[in-house]
Amino acid sequence: MKKAFSLAVALAVSSSLAAPFVAPAAWTAEQNTANKRGGEFRTATISDFKTFNPFTSAEATSIPGTMEEGAGLFMQDPRNDAIIPKMADAMPVVSNNNKRFVVKIRQGMKFSDGQEITADDWITTYKLHTDDAVGSNSFDSFKLSGKPITVKKIDKYTLQFDFPSVSANAYLTMSYTPWPDHIFGEAYRKGGAAAVKALWGLSTNPSQIVSPGAWVLESYQAGERAVLKDNPRYGEWNKDSRGNALPYLDRYTYRIVKDVNAQLAAFLSGQIDAFNPANADQLAQVKKAMDGGNLKATLLPNVSPAASSSWITFNWNKAGDPFKQKLFRDVRFRQAMSHIANRQAMVQLALGGLGVETYYSVYPVFKNWIFDSAPKYKYNLAAASKLLAQMGFTKKNAQGYLVDKSGKVLEFNLSTNAGNNIREQLGRIFADEAKKVGVKVNFTPIDFNVLVGQLTAKGDNRPFDAILLGLSGGGNIWPFGVNVVPCGTNLHSYNNPTNGACLVSKEQLMSKLYYQGDSTLDLAARRKVGEQLLKAEAELQGVVYLVGTTYHVAYNERLGGEYPRNMMDSYYGSRYTDLTFIK
């Protein structure tokens, strides 16, 4: 999540340091004028953590993702979306027809262990993300049209980025987090990818974990709690508008709970500080606790549409089950599944009426990138039955399920992550509607980490039928996923063979349009390409999109430093954590 502004005044600092990054006072509705420091920001997560390793982590909420907060060359200003320098000392020198960027790094920045952050750390991080043997979730972020983006060290504090073509997302691409060369680079040079993957597992002593960002791991108890403490080195180059070191807080903690209901209960009882209600029932519970005097909190409903998506993907790579592989590869089947998805019921029953029907990968919050020309396969059981009949499923067995001419039942397994109550409801609604037309859906929630492993598996016989999950992240400059849309990328979930090849012409077109749009700097022209891409995506139905939630904000009144209300949305969130303080 990023945005931009012009840098504030430079503060007087030691001659060995460059001017710090200054967080504008306008980023908070309630400034910390009393300079209150210390205290703990308490949050929760419904899935235990899988790793501390930033190169093998694929979780939306992760320890590396929390540690790296505030670490990137550039960011976006939540007031106006502009790109501004963060770990970069200034905006880059741009040449070669907007394809070369020479970036100066702020001098004097250090990792949490006191080692200086230099160009070598970006170079090593780039090398590891782009080594397929490492298996980084960011592997595809450093390619355009299959051609590599290269990063070169000019000197200790200067990097040169060369893009194979113009990219509208260039600044966000360059803003990856630098991880320590003296740890990961040393391991890589001695033992290759295997040595990197062996680092920072869950059994690693937190004292060995090193952070470039605002937080560093202090302790971890599996299934119970993760505690991160502030990185004092970060505060040396991150200041508020009055020159005080950031962050104000000294702890950022995760309570690990079994499901969303337990997370809500923890918020209502004052055990955690923030919660994003996802439906009317959750909003009502928060309001009731507030009205009854049992919870002192701020509740802001309907802040914006969500910057996330819920969807079902069908596995095209099932060589071990030719019947299902043929089924999932048939566009008529996937269109029928979209017709089966009763999105209105999902909004009403799973989201309590607070949400929107979705049909595309573009998040509802990015409404300027959703076009009426893209088709919608809306809820229509008769249309679904007609498409399935065209495929040869015209008869039902004694149990009421469709069968083909050989008597093969039309059925598949559908999984989601256990503990996510909303996704479990979405899956049950889908399975119930499917049964009405004679499709047997075996719906089973499973462990989140197992699910992600299945989804990201490559090969000709991947280990799942269908998965119901969601995605978040991405940007608002070109809101199509670089690791989702093009063939061969790690979240091109429906077709991920070993060689990464496209299977059908529509996939090839989508890959072409993705890179064409990303290389178009003119916004109006880029939107035209986006319209073509959205239309192709909708026609293919590689992924069946379901519903989008509405972003609601609730936080305990012990917290200060939130964004002004007009700056909050699901893309930027409700606060810049560096400026959060305990009142």
Side-chain angles (χ1 to χ4, degrees):
M1 311 305 181
K2 309 96 181 166
K3 294 210 173 180
F5 73 96
S6 56
L7 264 184
V9 294
L11 302 177
V13 292
S14 165
S15 59
S16 64
L17 299 178
F21 176 82
V22 179
W27 283 7
T28 60
E30 182 178 16
Q31 294 183 37
N32 186 9
T33 53
N35 195 29
K36 294 183 177 180
R37 305 193 66 83
E40 174 185 349
F41 180 84
R42 306 166 303 170
T43 186
T45 180
I46 65 170
S47 296
D48 212 341
F49 297 107
K50 190 175 182 179
T51 183
F52 304 148
N53 189 319
F55 298 101
T56 59
S57 176
E59 306 157 275
T61 300
S62 68
I63 296 298
T66 306
M67 289 196 298
E68 71 185 12
E69 283 191 15
L73 288 172
F74 307 98
M75 65 179 294
Q76 284 180 281
D77 189 326
R79 295 174 294 183
N80 55 21
D81 294 346
I83 301 292
I84 56 172
K86 184 75 193 286
M87 297 184 90
D89 189 50
M91 296 302 285
V93 176
V94 184
S95 61
N96 192 24
N97 297 315
N98 292 302
K99 292 186 291 185
R100 172 168 291 175
F101 301 82
V102 176
V103 183
K104 290 285 186 181
I105 301 165
R106 288 183 193 274
Q107 295 186 33
M109 299 184 298
K110 296 176 182 178
F111 289 104
S112 58
D113 64 355
Q115 291 283 334
E116 188 177 13
I117 300 174
T118 70
D120 288 331
D121 302 301
W122 270 275
I123 296 298
T124 289
T125 299
Y126 164 81
K127 287 179 179 177
L128 300 187
H129 280 314
T130 56
D131 184 342
D132 196 25
V134 172
S136 168
N137 198 43
S138 298
F139 175 80
D140 302 304
S141 301
F142 296 93
K143 291 183 179 180
L144 290 176
S145 301
K147 298 178 181 178
I149 299 163
T150 61
V151 187
K152 177 182 178 182
K153 174 184 174 182
I154 302 300
D155 59 41
K156 186 177 182 180
Y157 302 111
T158 310
L159 294 163
Q160 177 179 300
F161 294 83
D162 285 289
F163 286 71
S165 57
V166 174
S167 173
N169 269 321
Y171 287 94
L172 300 188
T173 300
M174 292 186 287
S175 297
Y176 62 93
T177 301
W179 293 97
D181 170 72
H182 62 279
I183 294 176
F184 288 99
E186 182 178 346
Y188 190 59
R189 289 184 285 272
K190 291 181 178 179
V196 171
K197 293 164 72 173
L199 288 171
W200 293 11
L202 295 182
S203 62
T204 302
N205 189 317
S207 65
Q208 299 177 26
I209 305 297
V210 175
S211 173
W215 307 102
V216 62
L217 186 64
E218 181 177 69
S219 64
Y220 172 69
Q221 293 173 285
E224 296 183 21
R225 179 178 167 88
V227 179
L228 296 99
K229 61 183 178 180
D230 70 301
N231 172 11
R233 302 296 187 179
Y234 179 83
E236 294 173 355
W237 64 275
N238 283 273
K239 309 291 183 180
D240 67 10
S241 59
R242 292 170 290 115
N244 298 304
L246 296 174
Y248 298 129
L249 300 164
D250 59 23
R251 293 289 186 281
Y252 191 115
T253 63
Y254 286 100
R255 176 188 293 262
I256 301 166
V257 297
K258 63 179 182 179
D259 57 26
V260 175
N261 288 335
Q263 188 174 10
L264 173 58
F267 178 71
L268 296 177
S269 63
Q271 297 176 58
I272 63 173
D273 293 316
F275 182 74
N276 295 121
N279 55 40
D281 177 64
Q282 292 175 0
L283 282 168
Q285 289 191 58
V286 173
K287 189 174 187 303
K288 181 179 178 181
M290 291 169 59
D291 291 345
N294 299 315
L295 175 66
K296 293 182 178 181
T298 296
L299 176 62
L300 301 172
N302 301 310
V303 171
S304 80
S308 61
S309 59
S310 296
W311 38 261
I312 294 175
T313 187
F314 295 92
N315 179 13
W316 293 11
N317 314 116
K318 288 194 69 70
D321 191 335
F323 172 80
K324 286 182 178 176
Q325 178 166 279
K326 181 180 179 181
L327 185 71
F328 298 156
R329 290 183 176 186
D330 195 315
V331 68
R332 296 171 297 181
F333 169 79
R334 300 191 302 274
Q335 290 172 357
M337 295 305 100
S338 184
H339 282 310
I340 282 171
N342 190 342
R343 296 171 177 84
Q344 188 56 39
M346 292 176 179
V347 169
Q348 295 302 320
L349 299 177
L351 305 180
L354 299 174
V356 294
E357 301 180 19
T358 61
Y359 297 86
Y360 319 112
S361 67
V362 174
Y363 305 145
V365 70
F366 303 143
K367 58 185 178 181
N368 292 333
W369 291 93
I370 296 176
F371 304 93
D372 292 337
S373 59
K376 297 177 180 178
Y377 297 94
K378 295 186 175 183
Y379 177 62
N380 188 328
L381 296 183
S385 295
K386 183 177 180 180
L387 287 166
L388 296 174
Q390 292 174 11
M391 297 172 61
F393 295 100
T394 58
K395 296 181 180 180
K396 294 182 179 180
N397 62 14
Q399 290 74 41
Y401 293 114
L402 288 167
V403 294
D404 63 11
K405 293 180 180 179
S406 66
K408 185 80 171 178
V409 175
L410 178 51
E411 72 174 303
F412 59 87
N413 302 318
L414 174 65
S415 299
T416 194
N417 56 308
N420 188 308
N421 309 81
I422 290 176
R423 287 180 189 157
E424 290 183 9
Q425 286 182 281
L426 296 178
R428 285 191 290 268
I429 292 169
F430 181 83
D432 289 344
E433 295 291 343
K435 188 175 181 180
K436 293 177 183 179
V437 297
V439 178
K440 186 178 181 182
V441 178
N442 305 309
F443 178 59
T444 308
I446 63 175
D447 176 75
F448 177 73
N449 292 328
V450 173
L451 195 69
V452 171
Q454 293 179 352
L455 184 75
T456 57
K458 294 183 179 181
D460 296 323
N461 192 31
R462 297 161 68 212
F464 71 93
D465 288 355
I467 285 175
L468 192 163
L469 256 180
L471 286 176
S472 59
N476 57 3
I477 295 171
W478 178 234
F480 299 91
V482 63
N483 59 346
V484 174
V485 175
C487 296
T489 56
N490 71 315
L491 290 179
H492 191 76
S493 57
Y494 49 95
N495 180 35
N496 199 4
T498 303
N499 62 5
C502 294
L503 183 66
V504 297
S505 59
K506 193 75 72 176
E507 277 184 289
Q508 294 173 331
L509 174 63
M510 289 166 58
S511 296
K512 176 184 175 182
L513 290 172
Y514 174 84
Y515 293 116
Q516 181 182 339
D518 183 55
S519 65
T520 304
L521 298 184
D522 179 77
L523 177 59
R526 190 161 71 249
R527 290 187 73 247
K528 289 182 179 179
V529 179
E531 183 173 9
Q532 296 178 61
L533 176 52
L534 199 76
K535 184 173 183 291
E537 172 189 279
E539 291 172 346
L540 180 67
Q541 286 294 301
V543 174
V544 176
Y545 291 91
L546 301 174
V547 293
T549 58
T550 305
Y551 179 63
H552 315 284
V553 173
Y555 56 89
N556 194 295
E557 287 193 355
R558 68 193 289 271
L559 295 185
E562 67 280 354
Y563 285 138
R565 174 63 182 81
N566 64 352
M567 282 172 53
M568 293 183 186
D569 66 20
S570 59
Y571 181 57
Y572 290 107
S574 61
R575 62 183 62 246
Y576 183 57
T577 310
D578 284 9
L579 295 174
T580 295
F581 62 96
I582 304 300
K583 292 190 291 187

